Amino acid sequence: MSLASALEGTYDYVIVGAGTAGCVLANRLTEDPAVRVLLLEAGGSDNYHWVHIPVGYLFCIGNPRTDWMMKTASEPGLNGRSLVYPRGKVLGGCSSVNGMIYMRGQAADYDHWRQLGNTGWGWDDVLPYFLKSEDHHGGGSSLHGSGGEWRVSKQRLKWDILKAVQEGAKEFGIAPRADFNDGNNEGSGFFEVNQKGGVRWNTAKGFLRPAMKRGNLRVVTNAETRSVLLEGKKAVGVVFRQGGEERIARAGREVLLAAGAINSPKILELSGIGNGAVLSAQGIDVVHERTGVGENLQDHLQIRTVYKVTNAKTLNTMANSLFGKASIALQYGLMRSGPMSMAPSQFGIFTKSDPSLETPDLEYHVQPLSTDKLGDPLHAFPAITMSVCNLRPESVGSTHIASADHVVQPDIRLNYLSAEKDRQIAVQSVRQARTIMTAKALQRYQPEEILPGPEVASDEALLEKVGDIATTIFHPVGTCRMGSDAEAVLDPQLRLKGLEGLRVIDASVMPKIVSGNTASPVIMIAEKAADMIRADARG
């Protein structure tokens, strides 16, 4: 069937983006055989071996086959550096290239959303949606689901040095925690991951492929949406380009933007929906004024502290010899375990920068490896990385179109460390990492600080060094936030305020960033959105 004939007629729903949220929406909405759904994906297939081998994230980020290759603007808080800003470019979106860590955040995150005027988004409201799609290795319970589409597994590897870090953290009052996902993630433990049998489990596998067996779903790849098609104040479809040709897809009920925290606001602005000053600067007529589009950009900034160790097996030494590389490949080939099955981070610590806080505001990602910077070769000596990020930053940025041409990436400005409190927490977190590494449980490994370096001692010097070594942990959210206030882009049902037939359903809807990794909260958002869409369709 040709593309032209495939797009004849009107679909009930046109979903833009087959990423983490879009795959969920496609699955849930096509459960009704009477509903016809078109799913447009700007990238290509996820049929690429490095997508599925867990360690392959190293070869997917920075690869134009799988990554949109975005960059941030120069960041003053990072001493003028521009960061690479990976976004998934295949079916499954960022769930095909991310760190695979299964994390919900804290109950208090969602209760705060509700307090901000988002009725129906408290912890008790959203927990059933986490459970709905979950297939947890421990089986079903009041806090975990079984048999769902989103596989949650234990990691298939062991590192003695990481167990020693856990024992060291215990000396400073950070207790081991069996479950990071019961609403309170304080403590330490090994991350659970979205894998099955040592292979990445993305939303394309879990949600999209089963839905593609239904006759009422059509998936079109390499279809880059240029704008939402509006008739008056109603969204009736989208304009997209594929193979150099412009095409139109019509939606009888709703257009659902699920293009992510960077591309959903971009599509809105290219459609004339946004801040009039931003649109006019690019020669775009203002169709619908919403000043919040592209604002409220939040992300987790990680500070990578590195410690050289002795008497320890780390990936550095294994990967820097032919024998080590061969044994790694053999272990994965035979048992789907070992370093090639590794998530980017294996061990986590959630703790507080200030003991007076009610919930942890710091997350450590601890890794049995080290580099000078991400993407560089591993060091030749054994070492570990203690990355730490502020879970609830006050610094807020924006993303806005830089051109009326849809192929030009937006102007992404995170404004990292622009808030004084964030700068204070950055310094405190490095000092806390140093303290943990002095633990008796770690003395046999003789940890020696490499980054930032023991010579970096004063608060001022530490903050300066943080600006040199900190980088994104790839959690952009908030750019089309929901809320009941006048400045919110969406209402709590994720409908774009002032327009009919248009919703945004992805990480951009979060009013505040969650206290943890963001992929599974986005799946929850899509699950809840699907129920709201179906309820509205029933009237």
Side-chain angles (χ1 to χ4, degrees):
M1 182 180 289
S2 71
L3 178 65
S5 61
L7 297 183
E8 284 179 354
T10 298
Y11 292 84
D12 295 294
Y13 301 100
V14 174
I15 303 169
V16 177
T20 305
C23 290
V24 178
L25 291 170
N27 183 299
R28 297 305 184 212
L29 295 177
T30 57
E31 287 175 345
D32 181 349
V35 170
R36 194 163 178 245
V37 175
L38 174 67
L39 177 61
L40 298 176
E41 168 55 38
S45 169
D46 65 332
N47 185 21
Y48 179 48
H49 65 285
W50 285 126
V51 166
H52 307 290
I53 299 171
V55 78
Y57 72 92
L58 291 170
F59 307 101
C60 289
I61 290 175
N63 180 344
R65 178 173 178 171
T66 48
D67 180 3
W68 285 107
M69 307 288 286
M70 294 183 182
K71 288 187 176 181
T72 72
S74 172
E75 285 288 327
L78 302 184
N79 300 331
R81 290 186 297 131
S82 170
L83 301 182
V84 296
Y85 215 61
R87 299 285 87 200
K89 193 183 176 183
V90 294
L91 294 176
C94 289
S95 77
S96 296
V97 300
N98 70 1
M100 295 164 281
I101 293 173
Y102 180 70
M103 190 66 59
R104 298 172 180 171
Q106 299 166 359
D109 297 331
Y110 302 100
D111 290 343
H112 187 211
W113 289 8
R114 182 170 56 195
Q115 291 160 9
L116 291 172
N118 295 291
T119 303
W121 290 93
W123 174 250
D124 291 341
D125 302 308
V126 304
L127 181 59
Y129 289 103
F130 280 113
L131 271 59
K132 180 177 182 178
S133 54
E134 188 179 17
D135 184 17
H136 193 266
H137 62 84
S141 67
S142 61
L143 288 169
H144 289 288
S146 177
E149 294 82 358
W150 196 226
R151 178 65 185 173
V152 181
S153 300
K154 288 185 175 181
Q155 295 185 70
R156 300 160 70 91
L157 61 147
K158 295 180 180 180
W159 297 93
D160 291 341
I161 186 69
L162 298 184
K163 289 296 293 182
V165 172
Q166 183 171 45
E167 289 300 312
K170 193 191 309 184
E171 294 176 30
F172 297 100
I174 303 171
R177 187 169 199 89
D179 188 356
F180 281 138
N181 290 296
D182 61 2
N184 175 11
N185 52 20
E186 186 165 12
S188 72
F190 286 85
F191 290 122
E192 295 176 325
V193 290
N194 297 120
Q195 295 180 7
K196 185 174 183 179
V199 176
R200 176 190 291 273
W201 192 252
N202 62 1
T203 57
K205 291 177 185 173
F207 294 90
L208 183 58
R209 295 242 151 64
M212 289 175 71
K213 297 175 183 177
R214 301 168 185 156
N216 56 339
L217 171 66
R218 181 156 300 279
V219 180
V220 181
T221 56
N222 300 304
E224 192 164 359
T225 297
R226 193 192 73 184
S227 62
V228 177
L229 185 63
L230 296 166
E231 292 180 358
K233 292 291 185 177
K234 180 176 175 61
V236 296
V238 299
V239 180
F240 69 97
R241 291 188 68 83
Q242 186 190 49
E245 295 186 29
E246 187 171 285
R247 300 184 183 274
I248 290 175
R250 289 191 169 268
R253 294 183 181 175
E254 294 188 65
V255 172
L256 310 174
L257 289 188
I262 304 301
N263 279 325
S264 282
K266 171 188 170 182
I267 293 169
L268 290 176
E269 290 183 334
L270 291 173
S271 309
I273 303 167
N275 185 321
V278 171
L279 304 184
S280 298
Q282 303 303 335
I284 295 176
D285 293 336
V286 181
V287 177
H288 185 62
E289 179 84 21
R290 293 308 310 173
T291 57
V293 172
E295 297 294 319
N296 192 48
L297 176 59
Q298 301 158 59
D299 189 14
H300 289 140
L301 181 72
Q302 65 169 340
I303 304 167
R304 297 176 58 255
T305 72
V306 174
Y307 289 83
K308 185 177 181 181
V309 294
T310 60
N311 307 314
K313 182 179 78 170
T314 74
L315 188 59
N316 290 12
T317 45
M318 293 179 69
N320 278 314
S321 73
L322 289 176
F323 177 79
K325 290 176 180 177
S327 65
I328 288 171
L330 186 63
Q331 188 175 6
Y332 189 76
L334 293 177
M335 296 178 286
R336 292 291 185 266
S337 64
M340 288 185 71
S341 72
M342 282 172 48
S345 297
Q346 300 77 50
F347 180 76
I349 298 172
F350 289 85
T351 188
K352 301 171 183 176
S353 64
D354 183 331
S356 67
L357 293 171
E358 290 189 11
T359 59
D361 66 333
L362 296 179
E363 179 181 8
Y364 287 83
H365 292 79
V366 190
Q367 307 155 311
L369 55 88
S370 69
T371 65
D372 285 332
K373 65 177 186 293
L374 294 177
D376 279 7
L378 298 178
H379 290 140
F381 48 81
I384 65 171
T385 299
M386 290 269 290
S387 289
V388 59
C389 64
N390 177 358
L391 290 170
R392 294 186 291 276
E394 292 186 354
S395 301
V396 175
S398 64
T399 177
H400 292 295
I401 53 171
S403 168
D405 185 345
H406 76 283
V407 303
V408 177
Q409 82 143 67
D411 181 33
I412 305 169
R413 297 180 180 272
L414 279 301
N415 296 333
Y416 293 120
L417 302 176
S418 56
E420 174 60 27
K421 185 176 180 182
D422 292 352
R423 294 192 291 272
Q424 293 172 1
I425 291 175
V427 170
Q428 291 167 357
S429 65
V430 174
R431 295 198 185 283
Q432 187 181 80
R434 285 174 167 173
T435 299
I436 292 171
M437 294 304 292
T438 66
K440 293 177 181 177
L442 287 161
Q443 286 180 2
R444 66 182 290 253
Y445 298 109
Q446 303 174 38
E448 176 188 343
E449 184 178 329
I450 303 298
L451 282 178
E455 73 282 359
V456 185
S458 69
D459 287 358
E460 293 78 9
L462 271 175
L463 189 60
E464 177 73 16
K465 190 65 174 178
V466 164
D468 290 336
I469 64 176
T471 188
T472 176
I473 206 164
F474 320 126
H475 295 165
V477 308
T479 50
C480 298
R481 72 173 176 88
M482 61 176 163
S484 58
D485 60 290
E487 294 301 311
V489 177
L490 312 173
D491 68 16
Q493 286 72 48
L494 309 185
R495 299 174 296 208
L496 202 132
K497 291 188 173 186
L499 291 179
E500 293 182 46
L502 180 59
R503 298 189 208 227
V504 182
I505 303 164
D506 53 37
S508 69
V509 313
M510 296 185 190
K512 294 289 184 181
I513 196 167
V514 293
S515 301
N517 308 71
T518 52
S520 292
V522 169
I523 290 174
M524 175 277 292
I525 288 167
E527 288 277 24
K528 184 170 170 59
D531 267 7
M532 293 189 292
I533 291 165
R534 289 182 293 203
D536 281 358
R538 290 192 297 267

